[in-house]
Amino acid sequence: MGMNGQVATGAVSSGIRQGCPLSPYLFILILSFILEDTELRLIQQGTPTNTWSIGKPVFDVEYADDTLIFGISTPQLESMLQALEQEASKYGMSLNFAKSELLVSDPQSDAAMNFAHGQPVPITTSVKYLGSVVTWDHPTETAIAARFSIARTALQSIRLVWNSRLPQTTKLCIFHSVVVSSLTYGLNCLTLAHKHFKLIDGYYFRLLRRVLGIPASYTSRVSNFTVWQRAGKPTTASQIVLKQQTEILLEVLATPPDDPYHHVIFSSAYRDRIAATQKTTRGRPSQHWLHNMLSFLQEPTNLYFSHHPSIQNPMRLKQLLQNTPNFKGFLVMAPTRASNFPVAFGHLRARQE
């Protein structure tokens, strides 16, 4: 359809050349139509699309040709999947059944679902999505360990560089460009506690010792702090991840409050699907990305060398608050259980000022 409403029809006789910059734009256009038609079909057949909340009917996330569908029940998820298949078939597209999996918390549970043609969807408790491992069992530790495995493979692939006579500064530049970037990729989206930052830096120093030719501490008696000094006091992996988390936060602040991206981060209750009168479960409270990140931004010392105030955090909480003075106004007061986060945040702000 043209700008003035003209309509033309025709047959496609050739495709797009490999690497053509028009290809991703056409794919995004077609995928947008498919997902819009899928949502319309779900509404017409009475399938709820409010996986996150009634006010935010989000049930899908897309990145390039990877599509993630999430639901609160197996029948709902099966209806979403089959509706997506049916609408995609109208545009000559189909799912890759070999790469389509159902992620469940308990593989023994009755969570079987089928594709539109009746073939069952493979069930798994761990799936690789956008280069990261997603699992129900220790998700953060599993994702960090998977990144370390990839970084170690990258380190071994160019081992001739570490054994060469190149200057140490050149080796370290290559190390941070190739290996550290592989280690920290995607970790900024995880809900990280203090132990996770220590784990990240623990892996980081294991890799750094290989570059500098320093054996493990139990053999060489050389501490990680000494290794860090010999390397020229570089930015550690935990600091890189924390800085990336801060950049995500500033990006979310630029989105409107009704945006799902903003709503998920700044929900005052940290979650939407909890009734206002429902009691919290026993055990340790669940971790939250925003709460943990703000607590780390207050620390004046490095995350790994807590007893060595030699490294400053990439962006302190006071600096963040100065850049966004109305930060508290960005909180989304979701109709869920009460939360003490606004009070706690006001306390943190007073301490910093």
Side-chain angles (χ1 to χ4, degrees):
M1 179 176 292
M3 296 292 294
N4 298 324
Q6 306 95 330
V7 179
T9 59
V12 178
S13 58
S14 63
I16 299 177
R17 291 181 179 272
Q18 181 72 25
C20 176
L22 182 62
S23 177
Y25 292 101
L26 293 177
F27 181 81
I28 292 174
L29 286 172
I30 296 299
L31 186 61
S32 299
F33 291 141
I34 293 175
L35 293 172
E36 184 176 352
D37 294 343
T38 300
E39 185 174 4
L40 181 60
R41 172 185 285 269
L42 292 173
I43 294 175
Q44 291 176 347
Q45 66 187 27
T47 302
T49 60
N50 55 328
T51 301
W52 170 250
S53 70
I54 296 178
K56 305 294 176 182
V58 179
F59 65 92
D60 61 300
V61 176
E62 290 77 36
Y63 185 89
D65 59 343
D66 287 329
T67 302
L68 175 66
I69 302 177
F70 44 94
I72 57 178
S73 66
T74 303
Q76 179 197 25
L77 197 59
E78 185 175 54
S79 298
M80 293 176 177
L81 179 64
Q82 294 181 1
L84 177 62
E85 288 186 81
Q86 294 169 359
E87 296 300 330
S89 63
K90 298 178 180 179
Y91 295 86
M93 301 180 67
S94 61
L95 295 178
N96 187 337
F97 301 111
K99 295 184 178 180
S100 300
E101 296 177 306
L102 172 61
L103 179 65
V104 297
S105 58
D106 184 8
Q108 305 300 328
S109 62
D110 187 17
M113 55 180 288
N114 301 321
F115 293 108
H117 60 276
Q119 180 181 348
V121 181
I123 297 178
T124 181
T125 57
S126 177
V127 64
K128 187 176 181 180
Y129 181 70
L130 300 182
S132 300
V133 177
V134 182
T135 180
W136 290 96
D137 188 20
H138 303 290
T140 304
E141 292 84 352
T142 303
I144 296 174
R147 295 313 310 176
F148 170 66
S149 178
I150 296 175
R152 183 173 54 187
T153 302
L155 184 79
Q156 293 293 333
S157 65
I158 52 176
R159 56 184 178 276
L160 294 178
V161 174
W162 322 129
N163 299 330
S164 67
R165 296 183 179 181
L166 288 174
Q168 178 175 298
T169 53
T170 304
K171 291 182 179 180
L172 291 174
C173 182
I174 299 174
F175 170 72
H176 283 88
S177 299
V178 178
V179 180
V180 178
S181 60
S182 299
L183 175 63
T184 58
Y185 174 80
L187 299 184
N188 51 0
C189 299
L190 299 176
T191 302
L192 302 171
H194 193 277
K195 63 178 182 179
H196 299 133
F197 281 108
K198 293 185 65 176
L199 180 62
I200 294 171
D201 271 346
Y203 287 143
Y204 167 80
F205 281 106
R206 286 176 60 179
L207 300 169
L208 181 60
R209 284 175 179 270
R210 174 65 180 85
V211 175
L212 300 179
I214 303 175
S217 57
Y218 64 83
T219 301
S220 62
R221 303 300 179 185
V222 178
S223 65
N224 284 339
F225 184 71
T226 304
V227 173
W228 172 71
Q229 288 181 316
R230 293 184 184 181
K233 300 181 179 181
T235 303
T236 62
S238 63
Q239 285 185 294
I240 295 175
V241 173
L242 183 60
K243 184 177 181 180
Q244 292 173 347
Q245 287 185 328
T246 306
E247 293 172 352
I248 290 179
L249 178 60
L250 295 177
E251 180 182 344
V252 176
L253 287 172
T255 61
D258 58 346
D259 188 278
Y261 194 23
H262 188 117
H263 191 272
V264 171
I265 298 297
F266 286 97
S267 173
S268 62
Y270 296 155
R271 59 187 67 182
D272 250 16
R273 289 194 167 275
I274 294 183
T277 58
Q278 181 177 348
K279 295 182 180 180
T280 57
T281 58
R282 294 183 178 180
R284 180 177 298 178
S286 58
Q287 301 289 319
H288 189 268
W289 184 88
L290 178 63
H291 180 273
N292 286 10
M293 195 203 68
L294 290 177
S295 65
F296 284 118
L297 285 175
Q298 297 178 85
E299 297 185 3
T301 57
N302 177 261
L303 296 171
Y304 191 80
F305 302 121
S306 58
H307 57 289
H308 290 290
S310 303
I311 316 177
Q312 296 296 322
N313 274 336
M315 191 170 187
R316 299 287 301 280
L317 180 60
K318 182 177 181 180
Q319 181 182 357
L320 179 63
L321 293 175
Q322 289 175 347
N323 293 342
T324 51
N326 58 340
F327 185 80
K328 186 176 179 180
F330 284 94
L331 288 175
V332 178
M333 302 304 295
T336 56
R337 66 177 173 85
S339 172
N340 60 351
F341 176 76
V343 178
F345 180 82
H347 178 61
L348 297 181
R349 187 169 187 175
R351 285 176 56 188
Q352 291 298 323
E353 295 176 348

